[in-house]
Amino acid sequence: MRLTVLSFVSATALLAGFGTAQADIVIGLGTATTGPVAALGEQSVYGAKQAVADINAKGGVLGQKLVLKVGDDACDPRQAVAVANQFVREKVTAVVGHLCSGASIPAADVYQEEGVVMVTPTATNPLLTAKGHPNIFRVCGRDDQQGVVAGNYLAQTFKGKNIAVLDDKQAYGKGLADVVVETLEKAGGKVAYRGSVTAGEKDFSALITSLKDKSINAVYYGGYHPELGLIVRQAQEQGMKPQFIAGDGLNNQEYWSITGPAGEGTLYTDSPSAASDPKAQELIASFKKAGLPEPGNFAFYSYAAVQVIAEGLQKAGSADSGKLAKTLHSGSYDTVVGPVEFDKKGDITKPNYVMYVWSNGQPKMMAQK
């Protein structure tokens, strides 16, 4: 499975980089096809590639074909800047990405300076749009919206209990954890333990001992699935079974591959699953036909970002990135995740987050109260 996925990604990147005709409209995809969250990046590649194929099958944009160039930033800030500069040199019209907030924020500065539109499908840190760059957009919500959902859940469900909040020191994880703490405290709750881990860390025995010493009942983790998966598994091995809660970085089958049955009952927040929307069924069917893993929200939102760019170019009547930016700030865009409209900062006007639970190896959306 892993070899198949990586081969697909490599082929996509290679094919996207050659044979581009002058009449083509070139867009970039900045994501992580290597590194600890490569599984999430692979989903974004699948989604963007399928969107390009579907749009081209219907005649393309402005009578031209879309061509996708994939840049691997490994969710690393410095590598993301290098990818952004490469896209600028290759004169892409727009960029889908980047995947991680820590990569998106520095890359956005490059795109702003060079006048290239960036539409991220998944970067949720509020700082990305706080600078007010007119050509930076996101089709997902923000951590100061997502974190509120988790913080209120903790305040209501674990009132009077011992709660720990952890993060991985990165832009996405720390930003999300800080919002959870703020929300929890505003609701009258208290954090019994606040700590951080290092991305890539493997042994969490000391951390788990500290959590046991504090008699922690619930643990919120701001970060991605590799570290939390190990924390959950190692905690159970040490006889500790608190309620674990995280953000949308947990929306990945690799989480269960790491935890096994220990991951049963883990909660996380994310946008409502696009898989339940009738518009998504064609995309799901195309993935299945191609022998690809069933798409998750990282694939759906990457597909949606390409749709937004394509519709924006069509409405602008030009493949000019400056005209595209102005166009995206007005009107509504029909996507696989529903209608998308942007505010002045480039954020979506109607964000929505719900709670999911890992059960029997699959994430399931919980009923909304």
Side-chain angles (χ1 to χ4, degrees), residues 301-350:
Y301 278 77
S302 292
Y303 190 102
V306 175
Q307 288 180 304
V308 165
I309 291 170
E311 290 179 40
L313 290 169
Q314 198 69 45
K315 288 181 179 181
S318 170
D320 177 76
S321 197
K323 292 181 180 179
L324 172 61
K326 291 180 180 178
T327 302
L328 290 182
H329 279 288
S330 62
S332 178
Y333 297 86
D334 188 29
T335 78
V336 72
V337 300
V340 170
E341 294 182 19
F342 299 105
D343 62 18
K344 292 181 179 179
K345 288 185 177 180
D347 292 317
I348 55 173
T349 58
K350 297 179 180 179

Tab-separated table of all heavy atoms in Angstrom, residues 301-350:
chain	number	residue	atom	x	y	z
A	301	TYR	N	-11.058	18.847	0.349
A	301	TYR	CA	-10.802	20.289	0.413
A	301	TYR	C	-9.735	20.724	-0.588
A	301	TYR	O	-9.747	21.859	-1.060
A	301	TYR	CB	-10.460	20.700	1.852
A	301	TYR	CG	-11.717	20.882	2.680
A	301	TYR	CD1	-12.413	19.775	3.166
A	301	TYR	CD2	-12.245	22.140	2.921
A	301	TYR	CE1	-13.591	19.925	3.877
A	301	TYR	CE2	-13.419	22.303	3.647
A	301	TYR	CZ	-14.090	21.189	4.116
A	301	TYR	OH	-15.267	21.345	4.817
A	302	SER	N	-8.824	19.827	-0.938
A	302	SER	CA	-7.875	20.136	-2.013
A	302	SER	C	-8.602	20.184	-3.355
A	302	SER	O	-8.325	21.042	-4.197
A	302	SER	CB	-6.758	19.092	-2.055
A	302	SER	OG	-5.939	19.196	-0.914
A	303	TYR	N	-9.539	19.262	-3.538
A	303	TYR	CA	-10.376	19.272	-4.738
A	303	TYR	C	-11.136	20.598	-4.808
A	303	TYR	O	-11.204	21.244	-5.856
A	303	TYR	CB	-11.350	18.093	-4.664
A	303	TYR	CG	-12.127	17.816	-5.940
A	303	TYR	CD1	-11.759	16.766	-6.780
A	303	TYR	CD2	-13.245	18.569	-6.287
A	303	TYR	CE1	-12.473	16.482	-7.933
A	303	TYR	CE2	-13.965	18.302	-7.435
A	303	TYR	CZ	-13.580	17.259	-8.254
A	303	TYR	OH	-14.299	16.988	-9.402
A	304	ALA	N	-11.696	21.016	-3.666
A	304	ALA	CA	-12.465	22.261	-3.616
A	304	ALA	C	-11.598	23.479	-3.920
A	304	ALA	O	-12.044	24.426	-4.584
A	304	ALA	CB	-13.108	22.413	-2.240
A	305	ALA	N	-10.353	23.482	-3.440
A	305	ALA	CA	-9.464	24.616	-3.695
A	305	ALA	C	-9.193	24.771	-5.187
A	305	ALA	O	-9.149	25.893	-5.709
A	305	ALA	CB	-8.150	24.438	-2.934
A	306	VAL	N	-9.019	23.648	-5.879
A	306	VAL	CA	-8.832	23.701	-7.332
A	306	VAL	C	-10.105	24.225	-7.998
A	306	VAL	O	-10.043	25.052	-8.921
A	306	VAL	CB	-8.468	22.308	-7.900
A	306	VAL	CG1	-8.403	22.364	-9.429
A	306	VAL	CG2	-7.132	21.836	-7.345
A	307	GLN	N	-11.261	23.781	-7.534
A	307	GLN	CA	-12.523	24.266	-8.090
A	307	GLN	C	-12.657	25.779	-7.932
A	307	GLN	O	-13.087	26.476	-8.855
A	307	GLN	CB	-13.708	23.576	-7.399
A	307	GLN	CG	-13.904	22.120	-7.777
A	307	GLN	CD	-15.092	21.519	-7.051
A	307	GLN	OE1	-15.162	21.551	-5.818
A	307	GLN	NE2	-16.035	20.969	-7.806
A	308	VAL	N	-12.298	26.282	-6.769
A	308	VAL	CA	-12.382	27.722	-6.511
A	308	VAL	C	-11.490	28.494	-7.482
A	308	VAL	O	-11.906	29.506	-8.058
A	308	VAL	CB	-11.993	28.030	-5.050
A	308	VAL	CG1	-11.711	29.519	-4.862
A	308	VAL	CG2	-13.098	27.583	-4.102
A	309	ILE	N	-10.270	28.010	-7.660
A	309	ILE	CA	-9.345	28.676	-8.581
A	309	ILE	C	-9.886	28.640	-10.003
A	309	ILE	O	-9.882	29.660	-10.713
A	309	ILE	CB	-7.952	28.017	-8.507
A	309	ILE	CG1	-7.294	28.323	-7.161
A	309	ILE	CG2	-7.063	28.483	-9.659
A	309	ILE	CD1	-6.028	27.532	-6.893
A	310	ALA	N	-10.376	27.482	-10.424
A	310	ALA	CA	-10.890	27.341	-11.792
A	310	ALA	C	-12.103	28.235	-12.024
A	310	ALA	O	-12.192	28.940	-13.055
A	310	ALA	CB	-11.248	25.882	-12.056
A	311	GLU	N	-13.049	28.242	-11.094
A	311	GLU	CA	-14.237	29.085	-11.232
A	311	GLU	C	-13.860	30.559	-11.195
A	311	GLU	O	-14.440	31.382	-11.912
A	311	GLU	CB	-15.236	28.765	-10.126
A	311	GLU	CG	-15.907	27.408	-10.257
A	311	GLU	CD	-16.872	27.140	-9.112
A	311	GLU	OE1	-17.592	28.073	-8.705
A	311	GLU	OE2	-16.898	25.986	-8.611
A	312	GLY	N	-12.893	30.891	-10.338
A	312	GLY	CA	-12.446	32.275	-10.249
A	312	GLY	C	-11.816	32.768	-11.540
A	312	GLY	O	-12.078	33.887	-11.990
A	313	LEU	N	-10.988	31.933	-12.142
A	313	LEU	CA	-10.367	32.289	-13.421
A	313	LEU	C	-11.426	32.472	-14.498
A	313	LEU	O	-11.357	33.412	-15.314
A	313	LEU	CB	-9.381	31.199	-13.845
A	313	LEU	CG	-8.095	31.085	-13.020
A	313	LEU	CD1	-7.348	29.801	-13.387
A	313	LEU	CD2	-7.199	32.305	-13.248
A	314	GLN	N	-12.418	31.583	-14.493
A	314	GLN	CA	-13.481	31.673	-15.491
A	314	GLN	C	-14.271	32.975	-15.322
A	314	GLN	O	-14.573	33.673	-16.302
A	314	GLN	CB	-14.419	30.476	-15.357
A	314	GLN	CG	-15.285	30.216	-16.583
A	314	GLN	CD	-14.496	29.719	-17.780
A	314	GLN	OE1	-13.640	28.850	-17.659
A	314	GLN	NE2	-14.767	30.285	-18.952
A	315	LYS	N	-14.584	33.328	-14.077
A	315	LYS	CA	-15.325	34.559	-13.809
A	315	LYS	C	-14.491	35.796	-14.124
A	315	LYS	O	-15.015	36.811	-14.591
A	315	LYS	CB	-15.772	34.607	-12.351
A	315	LYS	CG	-16.893	33.628	-12.014
A	315	LYS	CD	-17.307	33.756	-10.557
A	315	LYS	CE	-18.435	32.790	-10.217
A	315	LYS	NZ	-18.871	32.907	-8.804
A	316	ALA	N	-13.173	35.699	-13.855
A	316	ALA	CA	-12.279	36.827	-14.129
A	316	ALA	C	-12.070	37.015	-15.617
A	316	ALA	O	-11.701	38.110	-16.072
A	316	ALA	CB	-10.935	36.612	-13.434
A	317	GLY	N	-12.270	35.945	-16.385
A	317	GLY	CA	-12.081	36.005	-17.833
A	317	GLY	C	-10.638	36.134	-18.231
A	317	GLY	O	-10.308	36.561	-19.335
A	318	SER	N	-9.754	35.740	-17.313
A	318	SER	CA	-8.320	35.898	-17.570
A	318	SER	C	-7.535	34.940	-16.681
A	318	SER	O	-7.967	34.601	-15.575
A	318	SER	CB	-7.891	37.333	-17.280
A	318	SER	OG	-6.479	37.462	-17.296
A	319	ALA	N	-6.362	34.527	-17.154
A	319	ALA	CA	-5.465	33.690	-16.365
A	319	ALA	C	-4.468	34.534	-15.583
A	319	ALA	O	-3.424	34.045	-15.158
A	319	ALA	CB	-4.721	32.715	-17.270
A	320	ASP	N	-4.800	35.799	-15.387
A	320	ASP	CA	-3.944	36.725	-14.637
A	320	ASP	C	-4.212	36.561	-13.139
A	320	ASP	O	-5.356	36.640	-12.690
A	320	ASP	CB	-4.228	38.165	-15.065
A	320	ASP	CG	-3.412	39.160	-14.271
A	320	ASP	OD1	-2.218	39.287	-14.542
A	320	ASP	OD2	-3.988	39.789	-13.354
A	321	SER	N	-3.161	36.348	-12.343
A	321	SER	CA	-3.322	36.090	-10.920
A	321	SER	C	-3.889	37.297	-10.183
A	321	SER	O	-4.673	37.152	-9.238
A	321	SER	CB	-1.973	35.687	-10.300
A	321	SER	OG	-2.154	35.068	-9.039
A	322	GLY	N	-3.517	38.498	-10.600
A	322	GLY	CA	-4.038	39.700	-9.959
A	322	GLY	C	-5.543	39.829	-10.141
A	322	GLY	O	-6.283	40.160	-9.200
A	323	LYS	N	-6.022	39.575	-11.350
A	323	LYS	CA	-7.461	39.630	-11.614
A	323	LYS	C	-8.184	38.511	-10.869
A	323	LYS	O	-9.310	38.683	-10.396
A	323	LYS	CB	-7.718	39.529	-13.117
A	323	LYS	CG	-7.239	40.744	-13.909
A	323	LYS	CD	-7.533	40.591	-15.395
A	323	LYS	CE	-7.042	41.815	-16.164
A	323	LYS	NZ	-7.283	41.688	-17.630
A	324	LEU	N	-7.530	37.365	-10.753
A	324	LEU	CA	-8.114	36.255	-10.021
A	324	LEU	C	-8.325	36.634	-8.555
A	324	LEU	O	-9.398	36.356	-7.983
A	324	LEU	CB	-7.213	35.027	-10.117
A	324	LEU	CG	-7.593	33.825	-9.237
A	324	LEU	CD1	-8.973	33.299	-9.603
A	324	LEU	CD2	-6.547	32.717	-9.362
A	325	ALA	N	-7.332	37.258	-7.935
A	325	ALA	CA	-7.440	37.648	-6.520
A	325	ALA	C	-8.630	38.572	-6.289
A	325	ALA	O	-9.404	38.400	-5.339
A	325	ALA	CB	-6.151	38.318	-6.066
A	326	LYS	N	-8.784	39.562	-7.158
A	326	LYS	CA	-9.905	40.504	-7.018
A	326	LYS	C	-11.237	39.785	-7.185
A	326	LYS	O	-12.205	40.065	-6.473
A	326	LYS	CB	-9.766	41.623	-8.047
A	326	LYS	CG	-8.595	42.564	-7.786
A	326	LYS	CD	-8.510	43.652	-8.852
A	326	LYS	CE	-7.330	44.574	-8.584
A	326	LYS	NZ	-7.203	45.627	-9.635
A	327	THR	N	-11.290	38.853	-8.107
A	327	THR	CA	-12.528	38.125	-8.373
A	327	THR	C	-12.923	37.238	-7.199
A	327	THR	O	-14.107	37.153	-6.840
A	327	THR	CB	-12.375	37.255	-9.642
A	327	THR	OG1	-12.040	38.107	-10.746
A	327	THR	CG2	-13.669	36.516	-9.957
A	328	LEU	N	-11.950	36.588	-6.576
A	328	LEU	CA	-12.257	35.666	-5.489
A	328	LEU	C	-12.859	36.362	-4.277
A	328	LEU	O	-13.536	35.725	-3.455
A	328	LEU	CB	-10.999	34.902	-5.070
A	328	LEU	CG	-10.470	33.873	-6.067
A	328	LEU	CD1	-9.251	33.151	-5.491
A	328	LEU	CD2	-11.534	32.858	-6.449
A	329	HIS	N	-12.626	37.658	-4.145
A	329	HIS	CA	-13.177	38.397	-3.008
A	329	HIS	C	-14.650	38.742	-3.193
A	329	HIS	O	-15.249	39.395	-2.332
A	329	HIS	CB	-12.370	39.668	-2.754
A	329	HIS	CG	-11.109	39.426	-1.978
A	329	HIS	ND1	-11.096	39.119	-0.638
A	329	HIS	CD2	-9.808	39.428	-2.368
A	329	HIS	CE1	-9.857	38.949	-0.232
A	329	HIS	NE2	-9.045	39.134	-1.252
A	330	SER	N	-15.230	38.308	-4.294
A	330	SER	CA	-16.653	38.573	-4.520
A	330	SER	C	-17.329	37.309	-5.032
A	330	SER	O	-16.705	36.471	-5.684
A	330	SER	CB	-16.838	39.697	-5.539
A	330	SER	OG	-16.292	39.344	-6.791
A	331	GLY	N	-18.585	37.158	-4.712
A	331	GLY	CA	-19.354	36.043	-5.239
A	331	GLY	C	-19.177	34.758	-4.458
A	331	GLY	O	-18.422	34.671	-3.490
A	332	SER	N	-19.899	33.732	-4.889
A	332	SER	CA	-19.879	32.416	-4.259
A	332	SER	C	-19.354	31.389	-5.253
A	332	SER	O	-19.581	31.511	-6.461
A	332	SER	CB	-21.300	32.030	-3.821
A	332	SER	OG	-21.327	30.746	-3.245
A	333	TYR	N	-18.653	30.390	-4.737
A	333	TYR	CA	-18.034	29.378	-5.585
A	333	TYR	C	-18.577	28.000	-5.205
A	333	TYR	O	-18.557	27.616	-4.034
A	333	TYR	CB	-16.511	29.459	-5.464
A	333	TYR	CG	-16.019	30.795	-5.965
A	333	TYR	CD1	-15.975	31.896	-5.108
A	333	TYR	CD2	-15.704	30.978	-7.299
A	333	TYR	CE1	-15.589	33.147	-5.589
A	333	TYR	CE2	-15.318	32.217	-7.786
A	333	TYR	CZ	-15.274	33.301	-6.923
A	333	TYR	OH	-14.917	34.532	-7.399
A	334	ASP	N	-19.060	27.287	-6.203
A	334	ASP	CA	-19.687	25.988	-5.987
A	334	ASP	C	-18.618	24.907	-5.932
A	334	ASP	O	-17.885	24.702	-6.903
A	334	ASP	CB	-20.676	25.703	-7.116
A	334	ASP	CG	-21.503	24.462	-6.857
A	334	ASP	OD1	-21.735	24.161	-5.673
A	334	ASP	OD2	-21.890	23.786	-7.828
A	335	THR	N	-18.504	24.210	-4.812
A	335	THR	CA	-17.446	23.209	-4.650
A	335	THR	C	-18.003	21.916	-4.078
A	335	THR	O	-19.157	21.842	-3.639
A	335	THR	CB	-16.333	23.709	-3.702
A	335	THR	OG1	-16.778	23.587	-2.342
A	335	THR	CG2	-15.969	25.158	-3.979
A	336	VAL	N	-17.161	20.917	-4.052
A	336	VAL	CA	-17.545	19.614	-3.530
A	336	VAL	C	-17.821	19.660	-2.029
A	336	VAL	O	-18.487	18.776	-1.485
A	336	VAL	CB	-16.438	18.577	-3.847
A	336	VAL	CG1	-15.210	18.821	-2.981
A	336	VAL	CG2	-16.947	17.153	-3.682
A	337	VAL	N	-17.335	20.696	-1.328
A	337	VAL	CA	-17.603	20.840	0.103
A	337	VAL	C	-18.693	21.874	0.368
A	337	VAL	O	-18.892	22.303	1.496
A	337	VAL	CB	-16.319	21.202	0.887
A	337	VAL	CG1	-15.278	20.125	0.714
A	337	VAL	CG2	-15.770	22.572	0.479
A	338	GLY	N	-19.394	22.279	-0.680
A	338	GLY	CA	-20.468	23.249	-0.542
A	338	GLY	C	-20.074	24.618	-1.064
A	338	GLY	O	-18.940	24.837	-1.511
A	339	PRO	N	-21.008	25.581	-1.024
A	339	PRO	CA	-20.711	26.937	-1.504
A	339	PRO	C	-19.611	27.591	-0.657
A	339	PRO	O	-19.608	27.458	0.570
A	339	PRO	CB	-22.044	27.676	-1.321
A	339	PRO	CG	-23.072	26.614	-1.204
A	339	PRO	CD	-22.403	25.439	-0.560
A	340	VAL	N	-18.696	28.271	-1.320
A	340	VAL	CA	-17.594	28.944	-0.634
A	340	VAL	C	-17.621	30.427	-0.965
A	340	VAL	O	-17.661	30.812	-2.132
A	340	VAL	CB	-16.229	28.344	-1.056
A	340	VAL	CG1	-15.079	29.208	-0.543
A	340	VAL	CG2	-16.094	26.918	-0.543
A	341	GLU	N	-17.617	31.252	0.076
A	341	GLU	CA	-17.500	32.700	-0.079
A	341	GLU	C	-16.404	33.182	0.856
A	341	GLU	O	-16.221	32.638	1.942
A	341	GLU	CB	-18.819	33.396	0.268
A	341	GLU	CG	-19.960	33.078	-0.671
A	341	GLU	CD	-21.219	33.847	-0.304
A	341	GLU	OE1	-21.108	34.865	0.421
A	341	GLU	OE2	-22.318	33.436	-0.727
A	342	PHE	N	-15.675	34.212	0.434
A	342	PHE	CA	-14.559	34.720	1.224
A	342	PHE	C	-14.862	36.102	1.783
A	342	PHE	O	-15.520	36.924	1.123
A	342	PHE	CB	-13.290	34.794	0.368
A	342	PHE	CG	-12.833	33.464	-0.166
A	342	PHE	CD1	-13.020	33.136	-1.500
A	342	PHE	CD2	-12.222	32.538	0.666
A	342	PHE	CE1	-12.599	31.915	-2.006
A	342	PHE	CE2	-11.798	31.305	0.177
A	342	PHE	CZ	-11.987	30.995	-1.163
A	343	ASP	N	-14.348	36.378	2.987
A	343	ASP	CA	-14.448	37.724	3.531
A	343	ASP	C	-13.240	38.543	3.086
A	343	ASP	O	-12.431	38.090	2.264
A	343	ASP	CB	-14.577	37.689	5.056
A	343	ASP	CG	-13.365	37.065	5.759
A	343	ASP	OD1	-12.279	36.967	5.136
A	343	ASP	OD2	-13.497	36.681	6.934
A	344	LYS	N	-13.085	39.734	3.630
A	344	LYS	CA	-12.009	40.625	3.193
A	344	LYS	C	-10.624	40.055	3.481
A	344	LYS	O	-9.660	40.367	2.780
A	344	LYS	CB	-12.166	41.988	3.866
A	344	LYS	CG	-13.389	42.774	3.404
A	344	LYS	CD	-13.459	44.121	4.085
A	344	LYS	CE	-14.675	44.906	3.605
A	344	LYS	NZ	-14.779	46.223	4.275
A	345	LYS	N	-10.517	39.224	4.509
A	345	LYS	CA	-9.221	38.641	4.866
A	345	LYS	C	-8.876	37.409	4.038
A	345	LYS	O	-7.748	36.940	4.073
A	345	LYS	CB	-9.204	38.268	6.349
A	345	LYS	CG	-9.134	39.456	7.299
A	345	LYS	CD	-8.999	38.965	8.729
A	345	LYS	CE	-8.846	40.121	9.703
A	345	LYS	NZ	-8.714	39.632	11.099
A	346	GLY	N	-9.873	36.867	3.325
A	346	GLY	CA	-9.639	35.633	2.585
A	346	GLY	C	-10.093	34.394	3.318
A	346	GLY	O	-9.841	33.271	2.871
A	347	ASP	N	-10.766	34.578	4.465
A	347	ASP	CA	-11.331	33.458	5.200
A	347	ASP	C	-12.737	33.163	4.680
A	347	ASP	O	-13.422	34.056	4.168
A	347	ASP	CB	-11.418	33.782	6.702
A	347	ASP	CG	-10.058	33.878	7.351
A	347	ASP	OD1	-9.206	33.024	7.055
A	347	ASP	OD2	-9.843	34.806	8.168
A	348	ILE	N	-13.194	31.919	4.863
A	348	ILE	CA	-14.543	31.593	4.441
A	348	ILE	C	-15.546	32.236	5.407
A	348	ILE	O	-15.265	32.399	6.599
A	348	ILE	CB	-14.777	30.074	4.358
A	348	ILE	CG1	-14.435	29.370	5.679
A	348	ILE	CG2	-13.981	29.474	3.221
A	348	ILE	CD1	-14.813	27.901	5.695
A	349	THR	N	-16.707	32.588	4.884
A	349	THR	CA	-17.694	33.325	5.679
A	349	THR	C	-18.550	32.418	6.561
A	349	THR	O	-19.168	32.887	7.513
A	349	THR	CB	-18.620	34.152	4.769
A	349	THR	OG1	-19.265	33.273	3.837
A	349	THR	CG2	-17.832	35.202	4.002
A	350	LYS	N	-18.592	31.112	6.251
A	350	LYS	CA	-19.458	30.211	7.023
A	350	LYS	C	-18.712	28.950	7.440
A	350	LYS	O	-18.971	27.849	6.940
A	350	LYS	CB	-20.698	29.843	6.199
A	350	LYS	CG	-21.586	31.039	5.866
A	350	LYS	CD	-22.785	30.621	5.017
A	350	LYS	CE	-23.659	31.828	4.686
A	350	LYS	NZ	-24.822	31.446	3.840
